[in-house]
Amino acid sequence: MASSESRGSHNHQGTTHSLLEGLDVRKPLLQNVVYKETTIHGTFNERYFVLYPKVMVYYKKKSDFQKDFHRNTFENRLGAISLKDVYLTKPEKKPQGGRHCFVMHAPHAVNKRHTYLLVNKTREERRDWMNKIQEQNPNLLSVEHHYVHPDSPQPPRTHFLGDSGDLIVQDGSSDIED
């Protein structure tokens, strides 16, 4: 018997299904391996993430996505995350071996969790994911914000990704490194 996670239901079967309704599995905005923190903090699972407009779908492995791609379905996904009102921050403390990481806050009620610590293999991959995720919620950016280098120390403020790929401080104060 399949677990609720294996079908992405997370006790929101109808809502999760509606997130995927109308999406073409064959038209992702971005896809790659991303390490996702488990509910046991400090442990990570390698997952294959696929970004679509307004939703991110993840699979246990790339071959599961490839099966869905060829069948034009989302049956093999582990989960789906609504990107409605999503915002990004830097973690308070980087995980061991997680140099290229960010926190995705996904407050929409359909999401099983509302905070996801994600780790990429390279800085460039992290920048690509952050840019593409942020593009799903452009209303969260403001021209009055100052830019922050992605590797600067974490101040106690919320950050958003700017057009250059650098993070922007929400409260407007300057926190520029280098």
Side-chain angles (χ1 to χ4, degrees), residues 1-10 13 16 47 57-60 64 68 74-80 112:
M1 181 173 163
S3 71
S4 64
E5 186 181 35
S6 70
R7 294 291 174 221
S9 66
H10 307 302
Q13 183 63 34
T16 301
R47 295 293 180 241
V57 178
Y58 60 95
Y59 295 85
K60 185 170 186 175
D64 292 336
D68 278 0
F74 290 98
E75 289 179 7
N76 292 295
R77 73 187 186 282
L78 285 179
K112 177 182 176 186

PDB file of all heavy atoms in Angstrom, residues 1-10 13 16 47 57-60 64 68 74-80 112:
ATOM      1  N   MET A   1       0.845  -1.194   0.000  1.00  0.00           N
ATOM      2  CA  MET A   1       0.000   0.000   0.000  1.00  0.00           C
ATOM      3  C   MET A   1       0.878   1.240   0.000  1.00  0.00           C
ATOM      4  O   MET A   1       1.854   1.329   0.721  1.00  0.00           O
ATOM      5  CB  MET A   1      -0.890  -0.003   1.233  1.00  0.00           C
ATOM      6  CG  MET A   1      -1.805   1.165   1.307  1.00  0.00           C
ATOM      7  SD  MET A   1      -2.954   0.929   2.693  1.00  0.00           S
ATOM      8  CE  MET A   1      -3.515   2.583   2.857  1.00  0.00           C
ATOM      9  N   ALA A   2       0.542   2.240  -0.810  1.00  0.00           N
ATOM     10  CA  ALA A   2       1.332   3.457  -0.916  1.00  0.00           C
ATOM     11  C   ALA A   2       1.061   4.365   0.271  1.00  0.00           C
ATOM     12  O   ALA A   2      -0.063   4.484   0.731  1.00  0.00           O
ATOM     13  CB  ALA A   2       0.991   4.187  -2.212  1.00  0.00           C
ATOM     14  N   SER A   3       2.113   4.999   0.755  1.00  0.00           N
ATOM     15  CA  SER A   3       1.927   5.957   1.850  1.00  0.00           C
ATOM     16  C   SER A   3       1.321   7.234   1.309  1.00  0.00           C
ATOM     17  O   SER A   3       1.322   7.480   0.111  1.00  0.00           O
ATOM     18  CB  SER A   3       3.273   6.260   2.511  1.00  0.00           C
ATOM     19  OG  SER A   3       4.067   7.033   1.649  1.00  0.00           O
ATOM     20  N   SER A   4       0.828   8.070   2.222  1.00  0.00           N
ATOM     21  CA  SER A   4       0.243   9.338   1.775  1.00  0.00           C
ATOM     22  C   SER A   4       1.293  10.191   1.101  1.00  0.00           C
ATOM     23  O   SER A   4       1.006  10.905   0.156  1.00  0.00           O
ATOM     24  CB  SER A   4      -0.397  10.086   2.934  1.00  0.00           C
ATOM     25  OG  SER A   4       0.580  10.451   3.888  1.00  0.00           O
ATOM     26  N   GLU A   5       2.575  10.109   1.561  1.00  0.00           N
ATOM     27  CA  GLU A   5       3.607  10.917   0.919  1.00  0.00           C
ATOM     28  C   GLU A   5       3.867  10.444  -0.499  1.00  0.00           C
ATOM     29  O   GLU A   5       4.113  11.239  -1.384  1.00  0.00           O
ATOM     30  CB  GLU A   5       4.908  10.905   1.719  1.00  0.00           C
ATOM     31  CG  GLU A   5       5.918  11.861   1.128  1.00  0.00           C
ATOM     32  CD  GLU A   5       7.242  11.902   1.846  1.00  0.00           C
ATOM     33  OE1 GLU A   5       7.697  10.874   2.344  1.00  0.00           O
ATOM     34  OE2 GLU A   5       7.815  13.004   1.872  1.00  0.00           O
ATOM     35  N   SER A   6       3.790   9.142  -0.754  1.00  0.00           N
ATOM     36  CA  SER A   6       4.095   8.635  -2.078  1.00  0.00           C
ATOM     37  C   SER A   6       3.106   9.145  -3.125  1.00  0.00           C
ATOM     38  O   SER A   6       3.416   9.156  -4.300  1.00  0.00           O
ATOM     39  CB  SER A   6       4.135   7.110  -2.089  1.00  0.00           C
ATOM     40  OG  SER A   6       2.843   6.582  -1.913  1.00  0.00           O
ATOM     41  N   ARG A   7       1.979   9.575  -2.711  1.00  0.00           N
ATOM     42  CA  ARG A   7       1.014  10.150  -3.640  1.00  0.00           C
ATOM     43  C   ARG A   7       0.864  11.656  -3.451  1.00  0.00           C
ATOM     44  O   ARG A   7       0.042  12.275  -4.101  1.00  0.00           O
ATOM     45  CB  ARG A   7      -0.355   9.489  -3.480  1.00  0.00           C
ATOM     46  CG  ARG A   7      -0.345   8.050  -3.868  1.00  0.00           C
ATOM     47  CD  ARG A   7      -0.152   7.926  -5.364  1.00  0.00           C
ATOM     48  NE  ARG A   7      -0.010   6.534  -5.710  1.00  0.00           N
ATOM     49  CZ  ARG A   7       0.857   6.074  -6.590  1.00  0.00           C
ATOM     50  NH1 ARG A   7       1.668   6.877  -7.212  1.00  0.00           N
ATOM     51  NH2 ARG A   7       0.915   4.795  -6.865  1.00  0.00           N
ATOM     52  N   GLY A   8       1.660  12.216  -2.575  1.00  0.00           N
ATOM     53  CA  GLY A   8       1.643  13.652  -2.393  1.00  0.00           C
ATOM     54  C   GLY A   8       0.402  14.184  -1.718  1.00  0.00           C
ATOM     55  O   GLY A   8       0.118  15.358  -1.798  1.00  0.00           O
ATOM     56  N   SER A   9      -0.359  13.330  -1.046  1.00  0.00           N
ATOM     57  CA  SER A   9      -1.633  13.789  -0.512  1.00  0.00           C
ATOM     58  C   SER A   9      -1.483  14.597   0.758  1.00  0.00           C
ATOM     59  O   SER A   9      -2.148  15.598   0.925  1.00  0.00           O
ATOM     60  CB  SER A   9      -2.545  12.595  -0.240  1.00  0.00           C
ATOM     61  OG  SER A   9      -2.025  11.792   0.797  1.00  0.00           O
ATOM     62  N   HIS A  10      -0.634  14.148   1.677  1.00  0.00           N
ATOM     63  CA  HIS A  10      -0.402  14.872   2.929  1.00  0.00           C
ATOM     64  C   HIS A  10      -1.700  15.284   3.605  1.00  0.00           C
ATOM     65  O   HIS A  10      -1.837  16.373   4.130  1.00  0.00           O
ATOM     66  CB  HIS A  10       0.461  16.117   2.704  1.00  0.00           C
ATOM     67  CG  HIS A  10       1.730  15.830   1.994  1.00  0.00           C
ATOM     68  ND1 HIS A  10       2.661  14.943   2.460  1.00  0.00           N
ATOM     69  CD2 HIS A  10       2.226  16.311   0.838  1.00  0.00           C
ATOM     70  CE1 HIS A  10       3.680  14.896   1.632  1.00  0.00           C
ATOM     71  NE2 HIS A  10       3.441  15.711   0.645  1.00  0.00           N
ATOM     72  N   GLN A  13      -5.635  15.540  -0.133  1.00  0.00           N
ATOM     73  CA  GLN A  13      -5.716  14.900  -1.442  1.00  0.00           C
ATOM     74  C   GLN A  13      -6.368  15.795  -2.490  1.00  0.00           C
ATOM     75  O   GLN A  13      -5.809  16.008  -3.540  1.00  0.00           O
ATOM     76  CB  GLN A  13      -6.468  13.569  -1.346  1.00  0.00           C
ATOM     77  CG  GLN A  13      -6.528  12.797  -2.648  1.00  0.00           C
ATOM     78  CD  GLN A  13      -5.163  12.380  -3.158  1.00  0.00           C
ATOM     79  OE1 GLN A  13      -4.268  12.089  -2.399  1.00  0.00           O
ATOM     80  NE2 GLN A  13      -5.006  12.373  -4.456  1.00  0.00           N
ATOM     81  N   THR A  16      -4.160  19.109  -3.041  1.00  0.00           N
ATOM     82  CA  THR A  16      -2.913  18.843  -3.746  1.00  0.00           C
ATOM     83  C   THR A  16      -3.197  18.548  -5.203  1.00  0.00           C
ATOM     84  O   THR A  16      -2.506  19.034  -6.091  1.00  0.00           O
ATOM     85  CB  THR A  16      -2.146  17.674  -3.099  1.00  0.00           C
ATOM     86  OG1 THR A  16      -1.877  18.017  -1.745  1.00  0.00           O
ATOM     87  CG2 THR A  16      -0.852  17.408  -3.815  1.00  0.00           C
ATOM     88  N   ARG A  47      16.421  14.395  -3.295  1.00  0.00           N
ATOM     89  CA  ARG A  47      15.145  14.353  -4.016  1.00  0.00           C
ATOM     90  C   ARG A  47      15.319  15.007  -5.387  1.00  0.00           C
ATOM     91  O   ARG A  47      16.186  15.852  -5.575  1.00  0.00           O
ATOM     92  CB  ARG A  47      14.042  15.089  -3.246  1.00  0.00           C
ATOM     93  CG  ARG A  47      13.697  14.445  -1.915  1.00  0.00           C
ATOM     94  CD  ARG A  47      13.042  13.097  -2.122  1.00  0.00           C
ATOM     95  NE  ARG A  47      12.687  12.435  -0.879  1.00  0.00           N
ATOM     96  CZ  ARG A  47      13.171  11.260  -0.492  1.00  0.00           C
ATOM     97  NH1 ARG A  47      14.043  10.620  -1.238  1.00  0.00           N
ATOM     98  NH2 ARG A  47      12.787  10.717   0.641  1.00  0.00           N
ATOM     99  N   VAL A  57       7.138  20.262  -7.438  1.00  0.00           N
ATOM    100  CA  VAL A  57       6.852  18.848  -7.248  1.00  0.00           C
ATOM    101  C   VAL A  57       8.181  18.154  -6.980  1.00  0.00           C
ATOM    102  O   VAL A  57       9.200  18.511  -7.563  1.00  0.00           O
ATOM    103  CB  VAL A  57       6.175  18.263  -8.511  1.00  0.00           C
ATOM    104  CG1 VAL A  57       5.907  16.777  -8.360  1.00  0.00           C
ATOM    105  CG2 VAL A  57       4.894  19.016  -8.827  1.00  0.00           C
ATOM    106  N   TYR A  58       8.177  17.183  -6.068  1.00  0.00           N
ATOM    107  CA  TYR A  58       9.417  16.456  -5.851  1.00  0.00           C
ATOM    108  C   TYR A  58       9.180  14.956  -5.878  1.00  0.00           C
ATOM    109  O   TYR A  58       8.096  14.462  -5.576  1.00  0.00           O
ATOM    110  CB  TYR A  58      10.139  16.903  -4.579  1.00  0.00           C
ATOM    111  CG  TYR A  58       9.389  16.747  -3.283  1.00  0.00           C
ATOM    112  CD1 TYR A  58       9.560  15.616  -2.495  1.00  0.00           C
ATOM    113  CD2 TYR A  58       8.532  17.742  -2.829  1.00  0.00           C
ATOM    114  CE1 TYR A  58       8.887  15.477  -1.293  1.00  0.00           C
ATOM    115  CE2 TYR A  58       7.863  17.616  -1.627  1.00  0.00           C
ATOM    116  CZ  TYR A  58       8.045  16.473  -0.870  1.00  0.00           C
ATOM    117  OH  TYR A  58       7.385  16.331   0.320  1.00  0.00           O
ATOM    118  N   TYR A  59      10.239  14.289  -6.299  1.00  0.00           N
ATOM    119  CA  TYR A  59      10.231  12.843  -6.497  1.00  0.00           C
ATOM    120  C   TYR A  59      11.364  12.218  -5.706  1.00  0.00           C
ATOM    121  O   TYR A  59      12.347  12.884  -5.389  1.00  0.00           O
ATOM    122  CB  TYR A  59      10.450  12.511  -7.985  1.00  0.00           C
ATOM    123  CG  TYR A  59       9.331  12.975  -8.881  1.00  0.00           C
ATOM    124  CD1 TYR A  59       9.304  14.278  -9.377  1.00  0.00           C
ATOM    125  CD2 TYR A  59       8.311  12.104  -9.243  1.00  0.00           C
ATOM    126  CE1 TYR A  59       8.275  14.705 -10.205  1.00  0.00           C
ATOM    127  CE2 TYR A  59       7.283  12.527 -10.070  1.00  0.00           C
ATOM    128  CZ  TYR A  59       7.268  13.825 -10.542  1.00  0.00           C
ATOM    129  OH  TYR A  59       6.251  14.242 -11.363  1.00  0.00           O
ATOM    130  N   LYS A  60      11.260  10.924  -5.447  1.00  0.00           N
ATOM    131  CA  LYS A  60      12.328  10.219  -4.759  1.00  0.00           C
ATOM    132  C   LYS A  60      13.581  10.195  -5.633  1.00  0.00           C
ATOM    133  O   LYS A  60      14.690  10.374  -5.153  1.00  0.00           O
ATOM    134  CB  LYS A  60      11.909   8.806  -4.396  1.00  0.00           C
ATOM    135  CG  LYS A  60      12.935   8.067  -3.584  1.00  0.00           C
ATOM    136  CD  LYS A  60      12.420   6.770  -3.033  1.00  0.00           C
ATOM    137  CE  LYS A  60      13.470   6.169  -2.103  1.00  0.00           C
ATOM    138  NZ  LYS A  60      12.953   4.965  -1.456  1.00  0.00           N
ATOM    139  N   ASP A  64      11.643   8.398 -11.395  1.00  0.00           N
ATOM    140  CA  ASP A  64      10.207   8.531 -11.094  1.00  0.00           C
ATOM    141  C   ASP A  64       9.603   9.693 -11.874  1.00  0.00           C
ATOM    142  O   ASP A  64       8.489   9.589 -12.390  1.00  0.00           O
ATOM    143  CB  ASP A  64       9.989   8.735  -9.594  1.00  0.00           C
ATOM    144  CG  ASP A  64      10.341   7.505  -8.777  1.00  0.00           C
ATOM    145  OD1 ASP A  64      10.325   6.378  -9.330  1.00  0.00           O
ATOM    146  OD2 ASP A  64      10.652   7.670  -7.584  1.00  0.00           O
ATOM    147  N   ASP A  68       6.671   9.718 -14.993  1.00  0.00           N
ATOM    148  CA  ASP A  68       5.535  10.641 -15.081  1.00  0.00           C
ATOM    149  C   ASP A  68       5.592  11.458 -16.364  1.00  0.00           C
ATOM    150  O   ASP A  68       4.574  11.709 -16.999  1.00  0.00           O
ATOM    151  CB  ASP A  68       5.512  11.577 -13.863  1.00  0.00           C
ATOM    152  CG  ASP A  68       4.870  10.935 -12.646  1.00  0.00           C
ATOM    153  OD1 ASP A  68       4.432   9.765 -12.739  1.00  0.00           O
ATOM    154  OD2 ASP A  68       4.806  11.603 -11.602  1.00  0.00           O
ATOM    155  N   PHE A  74       1.320  12.902 -12.773  1.00  0.00           N
ATOM    156  CA  PHE A  74       2.093  13.213 -11.567  1.00  0.00           C
ATOM    157  C   PHE A  74       1.973  12.069 -10.548  1.00  0.00           C
ATOM    158  O   PHE A  74       2.153  12.288  -9.357  1.00  0.00           O
ATOM    159  CB  PHE A  74       1.598  14.520 -10.935  1.00  0.00           C
ATOM    160  CG  PHE A  74       1.939  15.743 -11.740  1.00  0.00           C
ATOM    161  CD1 PHE A  74       1.014  16.320 -12.589  1.00  0.00           C
ATOM    162  CD2 PHE A  74       3.195  16.320 -11.646  1.00  0.00           C
ATOM    163  CE1 PHE A  74       1.329  17.442 -13.322  1.00  0.00           C
ATOM    164  CE2 PHE A  74       3.525  17.445 -12.387  1.00  0.00           C
ATOM    165  CZ  PHE A  74       2.589  18.009 -13.228  1.00  0.00           C
ATOM    166  N   GLU A  75       1.681  10.882 -10.991  1.00  0.00           N
ATOM    167  CA  GLU A  75       1.397   9.754 -10.106  1.00  0.00           C
ATOM    168  C   GLU A  75       2.565   9.332  -9.222  1.00  0.00           C
ATOM    169  O   GLU A  75       2.360   8.819  -8.137  1.00  0.00           O
ATOM    170  CB  GLU A  75       0.929   8.549 -10.918  1.00  0.00           C
ATOM    171  CG  GLU A  75      -0.448   8.725 -11.504  1.00  0.00           C
ATOM    172  CD  GLU A  75      -0.873   7.520 -12.326  1.00  0.00           C
ATOM    173  OE1 GLU A  75      -0.152   6.509 -12.336  1.00  0.00           O
ATOM    174  OE2 GLU A  75      -1.930   7.612 -12.962  1.00  0.00           O
ATOM    175  N   ASN A  76       3.788   9.504  -9.670  1.00  0.00           N
ATOM    176  CA  ASN A  76       4.941   8.999  -8.933  1.00  0.00           C
ATOM    177  C   ASN A  76       5.594  10.033  -8.012  1.00  0.00           C
ATOM    178  O   ASN A  76       6.634   9.760  -7.425  1.00  0.00           O
ATOM    179  CB  ASN A  76       5.990   8.453  -9.920  1.00  0.00           C
ATOM    180  CG  ASN A  76       5.492   7.209 -10.612  1.00  0.00           C
ATOM    181  OD1 ASN A  76       5.277   6.191  -9.976  1.00  0.00           O
ATOM    182  ND2 ASN A  76       5.273   7.307 -11.915  1.00  0.00           N
ATOM    183  N   ARG A  77       5.001  11.164  -7.863  1.00  0.00           N
ATOM    184  CA  ARG A  77       5.586  12.215  -7.021  1.00  0.00           C
ATOM    185  C   ARG A  77       5.515  11.836  -5.548  1.00  0.00           C
ATOM    186  O   ARG A  77       4.627  11.091  -5.131  1.00  0.00           O
ATOM    187  CB  ARG A  77       4.863  13.539  -7.233  1.00  0.00           C
ATOM    188  CG  ARG A  77       3.477  13.556  -6.598  1.00  0.00           C
ATOM    189  CD  ARG A  77       2.671  14.793  -6.938  1.00  0.00           C
ATOM    190  NE  ARG A  77       1.423  14.837  -6.211  1.00  0.00           N
ATOM    191  CZ  ARG A  77       0.344  14.142  -6.505  1.00  0.00           C
ATOM    192  NH1 ARG A  77       0.341  13.328  -7.533  1.00  0.00           N
ATOM    193  NH2 ARG A  77      -0.742  14.261  -5.772  1.00  0.00           N
ATOM    194  N   LEU A  78       6.453  12.378  -4.781  1.00  0.00           N
ATOM    195  CA  LEU A  78       6.367  12.238  -3.324  1.00  0.00           C
ATOM    196  C   LEU A  78       5.541  13.365  -2.735  1.00  0.00           C
ATOM    197  O   LEU A  78       4.854  13.184  -1.749  1.00  0.00           O
ATOM    198  CB  LEU A  78       7.762  12.284  -2.700  1.00  0.00           C
ATOM    199  CG  LEU A  78       8.631  11.059  -2.859  1.00  0.00           C
ATOM    200  CD1 LEU A  78       9.984  11.286  -2.198  1.00  0.00           C
ATOM    201  CD2 LEU A  78       7.965   9.838  -2.260  1.00  0.00           C
ATOM    202  N   GLY A  79       5.638  14.548  -3.329  1.00  0.00           N
ATOM    203  CA  GLY A  79       4.909  15.686  -2.794  1.00  0.00           C
ATOM    204  C   GLY A  79       4.820  16.832  -3.781  1.00  0.00           C
ATOM    205  O   GLY A  79       5.496  16.846  -4.808  1.00  0.00           O
ATOM    206  N   ALA A  80       3.975  17.778  -3.433  1.00  0.00           N
ATOM    207  CA  ALA A  80       3.801  19.002  -4.214  1.00  0.00           C
ATOM    208  C   ALA A  80       3.690  20.156  -3.222  1.00  0.00           C
ATOM    209  O   ALA A  80       3.014  20.038  -2.200  1.00  0.00           O
ATOM    210  CB  ALA A  80       2.545  18.923  -5.079  1.00  0.00           C
ATOM    211  N   LYS A 112       2.067  20.563   3.502  1.00  0.00           N
ATOM    212  CA  LYS A 112       2.243  19.721   4.682  1.00  0.00           C
ATOM    213  C   LYS A 112       3.136  20.425   5.691  1.00  0.00           C
ATOM    214  O   LYS A 112       2.873  20.425   6.882  1.00  0.00           O
ATOM    215  CB  LYS A 112       2.857  18.390   4.276  1.00  0.00           C
ATOM    216  CG  LYS A 112       3.143  17.462   5.439  1.00  0.00           C
ATOM    217  CD  LYS A 112       3.807  16.178   4.966  1.00  0.00           C
ATOM    218  CE  LYS A 112       4.176  15.315   6.149  1.00  0.00           C
ATOM    219  NZ  LYS A 112       4.940  14.141   5.734  1.00  0.00           N
TER     220      LYS A 112
END
